[in-house]
Amino acid sequence: MFSGWNWVACGLYLLLSISSFEVSGGLVQSCGHIIPESPVLALGSNFTALCILNESCLDFGNIYAHQIIWKTKNIVVPKEQYREINRTVSSVTFNDTSSLATPLTCNVLADGQIEQNIYGITVTVGLPPEKPKNLSCIVNQLSKLTYPMTCTWNPGRPTFLDTRFVLKHRWPQENFPDCIPKDVNNSCTINDVQFFVNLELWVEAANALGKAESDPLVLDPIEIVKPLPPHNLSVKSGLLPTVLKLSWDNRISGAVMKLKFNIRYRIVGDTDWMQVPPEDTASPRTSFSVQGLRPYTEYVFSIRCIREDGVGYWSDWSEEKTGVTTEDEPSKGPSIWRIIDASHSSASWIVHLMWKALEPSEANGVILQYEVTIRPKSSLSIPPEKYSVNTTNLTLKLPNGTYEVSVIARNKEGASPPSVLLIPASNSKAPVKNLRALPKDGKLWVEWTAPNSYVLKYVIEWCLVSNSSDCIIEWQSEPGNVQETYLKGDIKPFKCYLITVYPLYDDGQGSGLSVKAYLQQDRPSKGPTVQTKKVGKAEAVLTWNHLTVDEQNGFIRSYVILYKTIDGRETAVTVDPSKTEYTLSSLTSDTLYTVRMMAYTDEGGRSGPDFTFTTQKFGKGEIEAIVVPVCLAFLLIVLLGVLFCFNKRDLIKKHIWPIVPDPSKSNIAQWSPQVPAKHNFSSKDDHMYPEGSFTDVSVVEIEADDKKSFSEQDLKPFDLLKKEKSTSEGHSSGIGGSSCMSSPRQSVSDSDEGETTQNTSSTVQYSTVVLNGYRDQTPVQVFSRSESTQPLLDSEERSEDHAGGGDSSALRQQYFKQNGGQDEADTDRPCFERTKQITSVNEGDLIGFAQLQILDQSSQLLGLELEKNTREAALPDILQTNTEGQTVRPEAVEGNPLLVDEMPKSYLPQTVRQGGYMPQ
């Protein structure tokens, strides 16, 4: 039982599989079709398509119309455009075919919503042809017997369909084959036509959506002929310098067509053509003479032709041919100008005459020479001077005055009219007004206002202003009724031009008015180089040089100074372009600044190099405010010091310039008991010893071995001498003492107390006169001292030296003999040291100390006489002479008995005559 149901199930499965294979295996393609089949639709029209299912699909596949899906180029059409007509037919409608894409397909859902294509069509959308318009034809002559006709028309709008155009033509009683265009849709050529017979022509256009025809055209082909241009053109000069003769050949038979012509010509180098009046060439011909041409000018000619009645088309222009007219005399004289150089001499001028070469239209030939005539206006009796030159300039040296210059240009046919220039003695006439120059349309235009008087003509001078070249003058002349013109020369951009306008009158010349101008400006080539002229504490004076004309490239409108510190903001200052110096203010002292400068034209600016400077630490006058008071204070102190020294001159002189006593007037000579008369140095005894009679003074040091040998009465005078010494020791000293001025040696009596009697008694001091002045004083006899340990000779000892001194064995005598030598090394010891040694002797010692330095009696020191006289008066009262002729200086020591070694010392001078000793 179970096995029977299995067989039934297997059979049903096999049946369903076969059915599925029929649907999905492609057999469903025959299940339906679409109507219409591949339609051609008008663009923008309505369109409805039907999908019709076959009955076989209904039985095997269960496919119905409601299952149909419409697609255009695989895009599902909206359901709203579907309509189910019956169970086997479904339609789709498109209201505007312009959006309809191809292909259009009909699809169904089968086998569990599986989409299957049933049928598809291709839809073509386009437009029907329009009526062809503007039909026209032309017969182009290719040779003398070949005349094909070409017709053209306007095909109308694009149809987006394959459209066929056909040119149809016929005679009234005969049709001709159609002319089908090749590769184009708007023209067609008929190779063979007949003249003098009317021909009807029209164009027919057709495509899948319809057809259209143009309006017919009826004509005689002879009326639309375009002939070939004339050939073999030639140009020959005529008898006159203004005539050229042309000749040519026509390439169409006069029996077929009669022609008329157009002739055009131009000057070689020009682009504008001139034409012979058409009425002059309106008849058939093969030659023509062109008149009114310029002499000695090369022309280019060309010619064309058309049917005589003007019906048809003009031929192309023939090939060009050239010809030259013959020469004629110049039509005008050259334009003349002058440059006057009056710097060489006040009585004469250097006149540079210049004139322009004539234009070819004015020269009318080759200019062979120029004839220049100079005629003085001040004296008509002087004959004019004539010159013949081949150049366009002439330099003459003329006396100051008014001259009339005329220039004539001559060629082989004759001479030109003269050009006259009046050179006045001075430019006293009115100049032009409101002169200005401006660039316009790539040219440099000059405009001015005419003066009130009538002007014959204007002369415009200009030259290129440059630092690298001289100003070469160019010029041009303009008629007197012109008030603007452009410079007719090689005007370069970025260059400066100096333009001058002169008005010329019948009886003189006006002064020139000048202006500078640029055809085109640019930024300067470089910026100014700035430097410092003066730098202060809070200001700096900057200087610079103007840019050269070649570097400016335009008008300098302003300078801008930019300065800053190392870490500060940059400050800008605008300066007038005429300035070359500017002062920066409000700067910080002792600060480094960087400064640069920019120059601006109308087109922009350019910066110069950087420059650095440092402001000063102190401002102007600050150092002077410190130094001047200090100097004034110092000067005041010096002045007060000088006044003080002047008021205290005696005291200062006393300390710095001590009074030196005159030994020749000293009373020390009275101390010698042996020869008192010979040793009186007072002024009263000057006749005894005339000036210059002394050569040496010897001082004998006498030491008493027995202090008791001197009585108290004998010692009293030395107490006074000791006191005097203490008060006047800084001014002078006795023999054996010390003086700063005479550099004395230390006395024997000033030695240490520890010295033995033998050492003391063995010292001999000398005082020698030398020829040396003190502080610019004129010396007569000058003394110096030295020490010597040489004992006196026995022959020099005197018996009376031992008589009055007590015990001869206890007393020792020393005297000084003549010594012409210089001081020993101890003379270099400072003055205060020697004085200290003298004053440091113990008061308990009994020391005889008397020292005098004898100087020239003619000393001029202030106060010398006063102090000398005072000392001369004091010495006789102090010094006491004993009976033996010895002068002693006893000094008591506060009750202490005198020892043998402390005997009082005394210095006895010896007056020595020239040539030997004088013993006492």
Side-chain angles (χ1 to χ4, degrees), residues 132 430 542 671 869:
L542 304 180
W671 295 0
N869 295 334

Side-chain angles (χ1 to χ4, degrees), residues 836-851:
K836 181 179 178 181
Q837 293 175 4
I838 295 173
T839 57
S840 62
V841 179
N842 194 325
E843 294 182 358
D845 297 338
L846 203 64
I847 302 172
F849 182 86
Q851 180 180 3

Side-chain angles (χ1 to χ4, degrees), residues 755-763 812 814:
E755 292 181 354
T756 61
T757 304
Q758 179 63 29
N759 292 336
T760 302
S761 62
S762 63
T763 300
R812 291 182 293 112
Q814 292 183 354

Side-chain angles (χ1 to χ4, degrees), residues 581-837:
E581 183 176 304
Y582 185 80
T583 301
L584 297 179
S585 58
S586 302
L587 303 179
T588 306
S589 61
D590 196 20
T591 303
L592 178 66
Y593 281 87
T594 300
V595 62
R596 60 190 177 94
M597 194 168 187
M598 295 188 70
Y600 283 89
T601 64
D602 294 337
E603 298 298 324
R606 195 178 295 274
S607 177
D610 291 345
F611 180 80
T612 59
F613 67 91
T614 303
T615 54
Q616 295 182 359
K617 190 172 184 180
F618 299 98
K620 181 180 180 181
E622 292 185 359
I623 297 178
E624 290 82 351
I626 298 173
V627 173
V628 171
V630 172
C631 293
L632 291 177
F634 178 76
L635 183 61
L636 182 60
I637 294 173
V638 172
L639 182 60
L640 292 176
V642 171
L643 293 176
F644 176 78
C645 293
F646 182 77
N647 292 332
K648 301 296 184 178
R649 60 184 180 277
D650 295 336
L651 181 61
I652 295 174
K653 185 183 296 183
K654 189 174 182 180
H655 286 81
I656 299 177
W657 198 346
I659 299 174
V660 179
D662 188 356
S664 64
K665 299 179 181 181
S666 176
N667 292 330
I668 194 171
Q670 299 175 1
W671 295 0
S672 177
Q674 279 74 17
V675 284
K678 295 181 179 180
H679 294 84
N680 186 2
F681 294 99
S682 64
S683 60
K684 300 177 182 180
D685 298 332
D686 288 343
H687 63 279
M688 298 177 60
Y689 303 100
E691 183 177 353
S693 61
F694 292 97
T695 60
D696 200 356
V697 175
S698 297
V699 179
V700 179
E701 182 181 287
I702 302 173
E703 297 182 3
D705 293 335
D706 189 2
K707 61 185 176 180
K708 296 179 181 181
S709 303
F710 301 93
S711 64
E712 183 177 355
Q713 185 67 23
D714 295 332
L715 296 175
K716 287 181 179 181
F718 291 94
D719 294 334
L720 297 176
L721 182 61
K722 181 178 180 182
K723 294 178 181 179
E724 183 184 9
K725 171 197 170 192
S726 64
T727 60
S728 61
E729 189 174 9
H731 303 285
S732 61
S733 61
I735 298 175
S738 176
S739 175
C740 295
M741 296 299 105
S742 59
S743 301
R745 305 282 298 184
Q746 182 179 350
S747 175
V748 176
S749 60
D750 298 334
S751 60
D752 296 335
E753 295 179 356
E755 292 181 354
T756 61
T757 304
Q758 179 63 29
N759 292 336
T760 302
S761 62
S762 63
T763 300
V764 178
Q765 290 190 354
Y766 298 89
S767 183
T768 305
V769 178
V770 296
L771 295 176
N772 187 14
Y774 177 75
R775 297 213 177 189
D776 298 333
Q777 298 179 8
T778 304
V780 177
Q781 300 293 339
V782 181
F783 295 84
S784 65
R785 305 191 304 128
S786 65
E787 294 182 0
S788 176
T789 57
Q790 180 179 357
L792 296 175
L793 300 178
D794 293 340
S795 60
E796 295 176 347
E797 296 179 359
R798 300 172 58 178
S799 58
E800 57 266 34
D801 295 337
H802 304 280
D807 189 1
S808 60
S809 62
L811 297 175
R812 291 182 293 112
Q813 299 180 5
Q814 292 183 354
Y815 66 94
F816 297 165
K817 57 193 280 185
Q818 181 177 5
N819 184 6
Q822 301 296 324
D823 297 342
E824 302 293 340
D826 289 342
T827 59
D828 296 333
R829 185 179 300 178
C831 170
F832 67 89
E833 292 183 3
R834 296 194 300 271
T835 305
K836 181 179 178 181
Q837 293 175 4

Side-chain angles (χ1 to χ4, degrees), residues 871-891:
R871 184 161 55 247
E872 288 176 355
L875 285 177
D877 297 334
I878 296 174
L879 300 178
Q880 300 292 334
T881 306
N882 56 11
T883 58
E884 289 83 10
Q886 295 179 346
T887 303
V888 297
R889 183 182 177 185
E891 187 174 297

Side-chain angles (χ1 to χ4, degrees), residues 339-373:
I339 298 176
I340 298 176
D341 186 1
S343 61
H344 296 280
S345 174
S346 60
S348 62
W349 292 339
I350 301 296
V351 179
H352 303 277
L353 296 177
M354 305 175 295
W355 54 88
K356 296 282 188 180
L358 294 175
E359 296 292 335
S361 61
E362 301 168 344
N364 296 337
V366 178
I367 300 299
L368 302 178
Q369 66 178 9
Y370 297 94
E371 297 177 359
V372 182
T373 303

